[in-house]
Structure formats: C-alpha cells, structure tokens
Amino acid sequence: MSRCEPGQVTGVVLAGGAGRRMGGADKGLERLHGEALASRALRRLRPQVAALLISANRNLDAYAAFGVPVVADALPDFSGPLAGLLAGLEQACTPYVVSVPCDTPDFPQDLVARLCEALAGGAPAAYALAGGRHQPVFCLAHRHVAPQLRAYLEGGGRRMQQWMASVDAAVADFGDDVAPFDNLNTAPDLARRGTSC
C-alpha cells in the first residue's frame, strides 16, 4: 500500500441522503450565507485533495453545476453515508478517498493531512475523533477496501462505526474542540447558523 499523501486523495462530499431531519429537503442544496452547503464543502475540501466528487441521489443536474463529477449510490433506497463512500471508492482514480458530509461547513482545514498521518501504521482506513466522540463520516480509506465495503452493505450493514471496526480503522484525534465537526441537521440548525457571525 502506497504512503498516503493529500495528492493521492480524492475527496467525496456526501450529499446523497434523504434529508429526513431537514423535512425532506435536499440538504446539500440548502444555503448558508447564500452558498449551497455542498458548494461550501467542496470549497473547503478542494485545497486538501487531488480531485473531487459529489455523492448525490437526486437533483443530479444541480450538483453537476458545481463543476465536479457526481456519483450516485450503487445501492438503492438512500443506503447511508457508507454507500456514498463506496461510490467514491469505486469511481476515484487516486489510491485514497476521503469522505465529508455536506452539512458540516467548518470541518478542519487539515482534515486530510491528519487522517493521512493516522494511516502511517498501515491501517486501510482512518476516521476522526473530536472531544472523545467518534466522527466516522469523516473517513479516509484506501480503494482496496471497496470490495469489503460492498459486501458489508449488500449484507444489510449500514453502521459506519461497525464497519470501521471490521477493517481495524485507525483514529485521528482532533482534540477537545468539537466545533469544526458541528453539523446542520435540521432547518432550525441552518437558520440559527445563518444568522450568526
């Protein structure tokens, strides 16, 4: 397995959910300070990676307008963030893929570098930890885990933390500051954030 460096990573912005807690809205297209959440995530991730993808399952033309390839889940029925990660792993041209959710606008600007460091021990995947809380949607994985992930999903598995344990994923500890990992799950969350400085 090659050494992980940001130049060997494709970033996948996960925008393929059903948006149930957002009243069914397509969360990645919701706006914060005039910018779509998915666009904001792409902008924050772009300096950290070699290539970008968006994982989406509806409004594909709207996502394509952001100027990066759009990949849909290979599994039906909004199968969760792992399905988006799998789509990225199966489409990327780089050895590694990192996933970030579209609804976390201020994730760390050194996210990819820190996750790459966590892979130095030879693990096939790594995820973030902040304030003692697991943040597995912020995941970096080598493409060779794609068959294992597909098998897990096709067997009915959906839990990110469970899959991480199954591949002995490493952990990148981001310390006590959980604010960069705060997500906007609901319309009130988005409204509150939109009125703050």
Side-chain angles (χ1 to χ4, degrees), residues 46-68:
R46 182 170 277 115
Q48 302 189 47
V49 296
L52 288 164
L53 299 169
I54 297 176
S55 164
N57 293 307
R58 50 187 173 148
N59 300 311
L60 303 187
D61 289 343
Y63 283 111
F66 296 137
V68 303

Side-chain angles (χ1 to χ4, degrees), residues 103-165:
D103 63 358
T104 305
D106 297 317
F107 60 84
Q109 293 177 310
D110 62 350
L111 176 75
V112 176
R114 301 269 295 274
L115 289 170
C116 274
E117 286 174 13
L119 292 186
Y127 64 92
L129 179 78
R133 294 175 53 193
H134 297 283
Q135 305 285 347
V137 182
F138 294 90
C139 169
L140 176 70
H142 194 280
R143 280 175 51 206
H144 77 241
V145 303
Q148 294 164 270
L149 178 52
R150 177 172 278 278
Y152 176 76
L153 287 165
E154 289 177 346
R158 295 292 181 268
R159 296 178 54 119
M160 290 205 76
Q161 196 63 48
Q162 185 180 54
W163 181 74
M164 296 293 175

Side-chain angles (χ1 to χ4, degrees), residues 6 45 63 70 84 172 189:
L45 193 54
Y63 283 111
V70 180
D189 290 343

Side-chain angles (χ1 to χ4, degrees), residues 31-47:
R31 294 188 170 271
L32 177 64
H33 302 303
E35 183 178 16
L37 289 175
S39 173
R40 191 178 175 109
L42 288 168
R43 180 166 52 82
R44 198 162 182 88
L45 193 54
R46 182 170 277 115

